[in-house]
């Protein structure tokens, strides 16, 4: 939640159990593993100590707990033991870049006067990342928008911006955020993220520290269907 670049961390095993298909589940007191959500895939990696090595094949958030699902490669890790958590750095960095790039498209859309389209969904997986908006873009505008978006995205990336992440009370969200999803929970602070111009939105995922790390972005396609617009993108 605080540091997307923390790739190694110390934790303690609280629970060990098994999935229905016979895989192991470890639950730790604290974790750096990102469970799938917010359009971002889970982290992979290892959990280990002197008594065993556990390969994390899947991470899910379920009933308030992060489930590290996988198999024992060697030995056995038991409840109460201290462990070292190691996440796959390359995968985390790529996921953080794609996640941040998705936010940046929102910013470029606003800069180009398309903020009347409401962001609805994001898919930030390496397999065909895209963002979706409610509303359509006239066909004759799409080619110019593709070029305009690429230009504006790469302008922002070359100028750079330190990504801001903070917690906000529900009452502050309206002032700080350019969009607040209706499902924002009551009674607890919400994590909000800005990738440009102090324009925040609620997000619980991982991001790069500075958008300059994105290198170069390109727009693959703008597609409109059933009243929605889907913008596919790539991050270098
Ligand atoms: Zn995000």
């Amino acid at each position: 939640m605080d540091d997307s670049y923390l790739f190694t961390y110390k934790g303690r095993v609280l629970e060990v159990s098994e999935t229905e298909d016979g895989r192991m589940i470890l639950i730790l007191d604290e974790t750096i593993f990102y469970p799938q959500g917010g359009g971002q895939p889970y982290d992979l990696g290892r959990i280990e100590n002197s008594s065993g090595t556990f390969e994390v094949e899947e991470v899910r958030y379920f009933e308030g707990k992060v489930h590290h699902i996988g198999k024992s490669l060697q030995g056995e890790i038991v409840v109460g033991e201290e462990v070292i958590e190691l996440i796959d750095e390359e995968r985390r960095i790529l996921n953080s870049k794609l996640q941040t790039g998705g936010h940046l498209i929102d910013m470029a859309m606003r800069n180009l006067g398309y903020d009347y389209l409401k962001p609805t969904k994001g898919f930030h997986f390496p397999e065909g990342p895209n963002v979706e908006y409610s509303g359509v873009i006239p066909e004759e505008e799409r080619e110019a928008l593709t070029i305009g978006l690429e230009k504006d995205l790469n302008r922002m990336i070359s100028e750079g911006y330190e990504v801001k992440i903070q917690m906000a009370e529900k009452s502050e969200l309206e002032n700080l955020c350019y969009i607040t999803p209706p499902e924002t929970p009551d009674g607890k602070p919400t994590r909000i993220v800005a990738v440009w111009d102090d324009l925040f939105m609620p997000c619980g995922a991982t991001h790069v520290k500075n958008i300059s790390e994105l290198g170069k972005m390109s727009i693959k396609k703008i597609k409109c269907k059933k009243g929605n617009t889907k913008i596919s993108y790539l991050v270098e």
Side-chain angles (χ1 to χ4, degrees):
M1 294 296 275
D2 306 323
D3 185 359
S4 299
Y5 291 72
L6 198 56
F7 304 121
T8 309
Y9 195 66
K10 212 192 265 183
R12 187 175 290 279
V13 182
L14 297 183
E15 288 174 43
V16 179
S17 57
E18 226 177 67
T19 61
E20 276 173 17
D21 61 358
R23 291 187 296 162
M24 271 174 76
I25 305 171
L26 293 190
I27 292 171
L28 309 175
D29 61 341
E30 286 186 280
T31 187
I32 51 171
F33 281 87
Y34 182 75
Q36 193 150 306
Q40 185 175 318
Y42 48 75
D43 283 318
L44 294 175
R46 291 197 318 274
I47 295 170
E48 60 184 32
N49 63 14
S50 55
S51 45
T53 305
F54 179 83
E55 183 179 5
V56 178
E57 298 172 328
E58 190 176 334
V59 189
R60 299 282 174 178
Y61 186 76
F62 186 60
E63 292 176 343
K65 294 172 182 173
V66 177
H67 292 228
H68 307 81
I69 305 160
K71 60 171 184 276
S72 176
L73 294 179
Q74 175 231 303
E76 193 190 356
I77 294 172
V78 297
V79 171
E81 285 184 335
E82 264 200 1
V83 287
I84 302 290
E85 305 165 18
L86 300 145
I87 61 170
D88 180 334
E89 286 189 32
E90 213 173 295
R91 179 180 166 99
R92 162 63 70 85
I93 291 169
L94 175 62
N95 289 343
S96 300
K97 282 185 177 178
L98 294 170
Q99 168 70 226
T100 310
H103 286 291
L104 206 56
I105 291 176
D106 261 10
M107 298 296 111
M109 287 289 278
R110 293 177 64 88
N111 293 340
L112 298 173
Y114 285 87
D115 50 341
Y116 63 88
L117 295 174
K118 201 172 140 272
T120 50
K121 261 196 252 178
F123 179 80
H124 314 293
F125 283 57
E127 302 81 16
N130 64 74
V131 284
E132 272 188 53
Y133 294 86
S134 138
V136 296
I137 294 163
E139 199 164 355
E140 62 274 16
E141 290 178 29
R142 288 178 211 164
E143 202 187 321
L145 178 60
T146 303
I147 297 165
L149 281 175
E150 284 190 352
K151 212 176 143 192
D152 199 49
L153 287 164
N154 292 309
R155 172 189 66 84
M156 289 187 280
I157 292 168
S158 65
E159 283 181 35
Y161 179 86
E162 201 78 29
V163 173
K164 291 182 182 170
I165 295 176
Q166 62 189 65
M167 302 301 288
E169 297 298 329
K170 192 161 189 178
S171 57
E172 303 174 289
L173 292 179
E174 210 174 312
N175 281 331
L176 292 167
C177 297
Y178 68 96
I179 177 163
T180 311
E183 65 270 20
T184 307
D186 279 311
K188 62 172 187 181
T190 300
R191 186 173 182 261
I192 57 172
V193 176
V195 303
W196 187 254
D197 209 17
D198 292 359
L199 288 163
F200 285 89
M201 74 166 281
C203 183
T206 70
H207 306 83
V208 297
K209 274 183 189 142
N210 193 300
I211 60 167
S212 62
E213 291 164 55
L214 299 182
K216 193 166 184 250
M217 278 186 76
S218 51
I219 299 298
K220 239 179 121 190
K221 205 179 198 172
I222 298 177
K223 212 165 100 182
C224 298
K225 208 171 133 187
K226 291 182 186 159
N228 293 308
T229 297
K230 187 192 263 190
I231 303 178
S232 314
Y233 65 97
L234 291 170
V235 174
E236 191 182 64

